[in-house]
Amino acid sequence: MESAMHLGRRFFLQSAAALLLAQAFWQEGSRAIAAPLTTVRALLIGINHYPHLGMVPPLAGCLTDVELVKMLLMERFGLDRDRLTILTEAAATLPRVREELAELQGLGDPILVYFSGYGTLWQQQPTLLLANADSSGADSLALAELLNLKSLQVWLDTRFTSAPPHASHLRWRYAPLAATVSPQAHSGAKNLTAVNNLGAEVTLNGVTVGLFTATLSHYLAALAGDRPLDRSVMHTADELRTQLGSEVHLTMGNLPSMGGNSLDAVVQGSHDRTLNLWCGGFSPWLLAHLSPRSRLLSTDTSVIVELSSINGFMAQGTAAAPLQSGDRLYEKLRRLPRNLSLKVGLDPHLEKIERVDVVNALANQGDVTVVNSPDDLPDVIITKTSEAGSYGLQWPAGALLQESCTTTNEAAKAGMRRLNPLFATLLAHKWLALTVNTTSSHLGMSTTLEQLTPQPKLLSRQYTTRSPHPLPEVLRTKLPPVNLAAPLTLTKGDTCRWSIYNYGDESLNVLAVAWDSRQGLLLLPLQPQCWHLELAAGLSVPLYTWTLNHPSQWLQVFIISSPRPFSYVNQHSPRPTNAQPLPVAGENGLALTQGLLSDLSTEPEGNDLSLDVAQWCSQCYTLRVV
């Protein structure tokens, strides 16, 4: 029990991510070139079952991952099926993989290799385990061998180091063939641009999938614009950081445009007006909560499709007029259930009586659901310190939510009563995360984050790509570099500023809400004595200047815009008396967030919240403060 009761010390999951990319996309000699994806030949490898690895259980999401990447390449980027080679399960042996790689190299086209399965450290080298791998290291492919190939890009959803000891609610793609030793640095490998190490899979919405593959596929499918690859990786890293509580470190070179037209869903088959849909352009985190009767729109906006059921990344829907296989669809109406709850798991190292006491203490909490199934990913996990006997919370990836425990012993009932305001705040944050629609909003909205002190610099910019209004040239030519090497990190005492540009044709109301893992929910005053800002069409203005006076594991700033007024926030919040953020604790913060979503909803009194992508834009910035 001592090894699990770890909340007295700070823990971060280092080097967590799951993508590896080779030199500057494609390489020809020493000159990087940007080849269109339609010229690529792709080798996709997925292995769930390892019959000769008795020390690890079978995986479950690797074939789903391969299907996701296959559909992404074909439907989003137009890659012909005959340019795809797929090796799964027993077919994915080392001789067969080498044979296919040699053949692809001989054809002279750029190559993309995708791998989903177990990884390990073998002889202190990151290594991919193929179908007949065993504890002797047989049938394994050293990463270095793969990176020696030319004209190559590699995507990996695997893991090269042992899993965090306190992250039992995730299934990790690591097989311990050798002692866990930190991987050798790869900075000298001429083809290597990024190495990461998340490799976790969970069951979301009834289907098991690799978290990195599912999240990256969403952003690659749904994001358009000049730089969808590096922007997709940036958004993916930010989403995984705050969903799992892990740090995601990426190091990448210059990445070119990948071209193609974005999508949210694709018609896979139809009978009369009943459609089978692939929904890989949706966030997996959103699909897990999306309600039936959500609506999609055809490319020419003439046909509405209403969803009737969702299973994993597949859905059924009814079209208002006939559609054909291959037709692309785009989000129109996002319906979210009003009875959304915070899912909490229990640390398996809690004693049986403690688990019973915690469940009983939460029995009457309508907004909290205790999940016991290994197939249900919790939002947070209840555990206990060994030093003080205090209950506290950790993220699914094992890191402590630092402000969740005390230094005194307590009973389960008292601990849950103390944590109750934090449960409400975390549920409010969950609601806010489900509003983010940068990839689908129709409003012409751009926001920019700058650091003012100690050194002025442009940090990040987000803009919508599906607005019918063209992106202003100033936003195309002055995009800041995307920070992929580490989380966007500022130092306590730094001052930063958000600015906003309404390049649409209607006046908008703008609200800024922050979620701080240390302080909870915060309202940001956007003008004297008022929380919101009215922004006329065509205007670009500074939005909020903030001196960050407190360290924070994770700080997210949500900038929400809508032509609708924020009536609930205006009526139920005290007027700001200064420029400082206002903490809105516990149930008050949850009520404020639910009221905010009701303001955005086209059916404020309905059973579901109904959010029309033409009527709101929610953008999110993720930072750390040290």
Side-chain angles (χ1 to χ4, degrees), residues 66-136:
V66 166
E67 182 67 16
L68 265 176
V69 175
K70 181 193 82 171
M71 295 295 291
L72 176 73
L73 294 175
M74 293 173 60
E75 301 292 354
R76 166 66 167 90
F77 297 108
L79 192 68
D80 290 338
R81 178 62 180 84
D82 61 7
R83 300 184 76 88
L84 283 169
T85 301
I86 298 176
L87 298 178
T88 58
E89 300 293 33
T93 62
L94 180 60
R96 183 70 186 281
V97 168
R98 283 175 170 162
E99 176 186 341
E100 295 294 344
L101 287 172
E103 182 175 336
L104 293 175
Q105 287 267 288
L107 294 174
D109 291 328
I111 302 169
L112 184 150
V113 176
Y114 173 81
F115 176 84
S116 177
Y118 272 121
T120 194
L121 279 179
W122 181 246
Q123 297 177 344
Q124 300 187 24
Q125 294 296 319
T127 300
L128 310 179
L129 297 181
L130 298 172
N132 291 328
D134 60 28
S135 58
S136 72

Side-chain angles (χ1 to χ4, degrees), residues 400-411:
L400 167 67
L401 182 55
Q402 293 175 349
E403 304 302 318
S404 65
C405 56
T406 69
T407 57
T408 57
N409 194 0
E410 62 187 348

